[in-house]
Amino acid sequence: MQTRPAPPSSRGRDHRSPVIGVIAQNTTLYGPASMVQAIGDASLDEDLPVTIGHVVGKDTRAAVRRLTGQGIAGLIVIAPVDAAADMLEAVPAGLPVVTVDGPPGCPAPNVSVDQHAGGLLATRHLLANGHRTVWHVAGPEQWHGSRAREAGWRAALAEAGVPAPPTVRADWSAASGYRCGRLLAENPSCTAVFAANDDIALGVMRAMTERGRRIPEDVSVVGFDDVPEAGYTYPGLTTVRQEFAEVGREALRLLLDQLDSGRHTAESVRLDPVLMPRGTVTFRTTPPRDRC
């Protein structure tokens, strides 16, 4: 990606940088928290102050009103769930806004990682390693990324001519992955699992190991996100990496372009995920065990 030129001095007539607002839900989770951090880091490079607004409870509109009432110059909305549509409806007309992981069809410029492509990468990798099919432990249905990852999993199985096993659903936590893993461990035909995020994957691995299913000899596992701990599990977790730093830079670039030009932009950016092969996937040369 080309280096963005230094921001023009006309951005603030009083020679002060404008304040940028960032609003997010679910910042206890790795993905949204990483996006907030990435936008904050990018703003430091531009010498721009940022104020953060957190959604508390279900009143998303109130969170937007609180933040926009502070006289911000523009707003970045991290909007990975269906309920975020209410936040966008509360943004004052004329305020420059950019979404991150915004809802499909959103008119605002949007920055996202191609979650569908990530599901394809994970599933194709497991199939290429000799597995007859791949089971998926999906995330919550109200998340755009969860649905897109699941769709990528289904598409990869379909292109291989493999029927999709029943979806098992979790809630992003390792505990929910563990519960799902206990169910899958009882199925000897389950030799490959694509988990919707790394925490779920870690829970699945723990459950499989407790049931005597070795990772990766008996069951290969792929996660999603590439959390900092992923390379330090044993074995190291194969996962799909999202480049959150690039997401932050691109979101800020789109917002500053609007501030510089004074015009709304329809530009959106979709970034490619990256497969990170590690130790939880191995080539399968033997049929699954008859018993767990």
Side-chain angles (χ1 to χ4, degrees), residues 168-207:
V168 182
R169 196 164 299 280
D171 66 7
W172 296 133
S173 70
S176 67
Y178 177 79
R179 291 192 294 271
C180 295
R182 285 171 63 92
L183 295 174
L184 293 177
E186 300 300 329
N187 185 347
S189 68
C190 177
T191 67
V193 177
F194 164 41
N197 78 345
D198 290 344
D199 283 345
I200 294 172
L202 295 176
V204 169
M205 291 165 59
R206 171 65 181 265

Side-chain angles (χ1 to χ4, degrees), residues 79-234:
V81 296
D82 292 339
D86 283 344
M87 284 197 296
L88 296 174
E89 291 178 358
V91 175
L95 182 71
V97 62
V98 173
T99 60
V100 174
D101 278 352
C106 175
N110 181 63
V111 181
S112 63
V113 175
D114 192 337
Q115 309 291 326
H116 186 276
L120 284 170
L121 280 174
T123 310
R124 287 171 176 168
H125 182 61
L126 289 163
L127 292 173
N129 275 276
H131 296 275
R132 295 175 181 174
T133 191
V134 177
W135 293 71
H136 182 44
V137 182
E141 287 185 282
Q142 67 269 30
W143 286 68
H144 315 141
S146 175
R147 296 195 297 265
R149 293 170 202 180
E150 182 177 350
W153 163 71
R154 291 185 183 279
L157 293 179
E159 72 181 13
V162 177
T167 301
V168 182
R169 196 164 299 280
D171 66 7
W172 296 133
S173 70
S176 67
Y178 177 79
R179 291 192 294 271
C180 295
R182 285 171 63 92
L183 295 174
L184 293 177
E186 300 300 329
N187 185 347
S189 68
C190 177
T191 67
V193 177
F194 164 41
N197 78 345
D198 290 344
D199 283 345
I200 294 172
L202 295 176
V204 169
M205 291 165 59
R206 171 65 181 265
M208 290 288 182
T209 301
E210 287 184 356
R211 289 293 192 270
R213 308 291 301 279
R214 299 169 298 168
I215 309 292
E217 293 86 355
D218 299 323
V219 182
S220 289
V221 178
V222 176
F224 206 105
D225 282 341
D226 195 26
V227 299
E229 299 82 8
Y232 297 93
T233 62
Y234 186 79

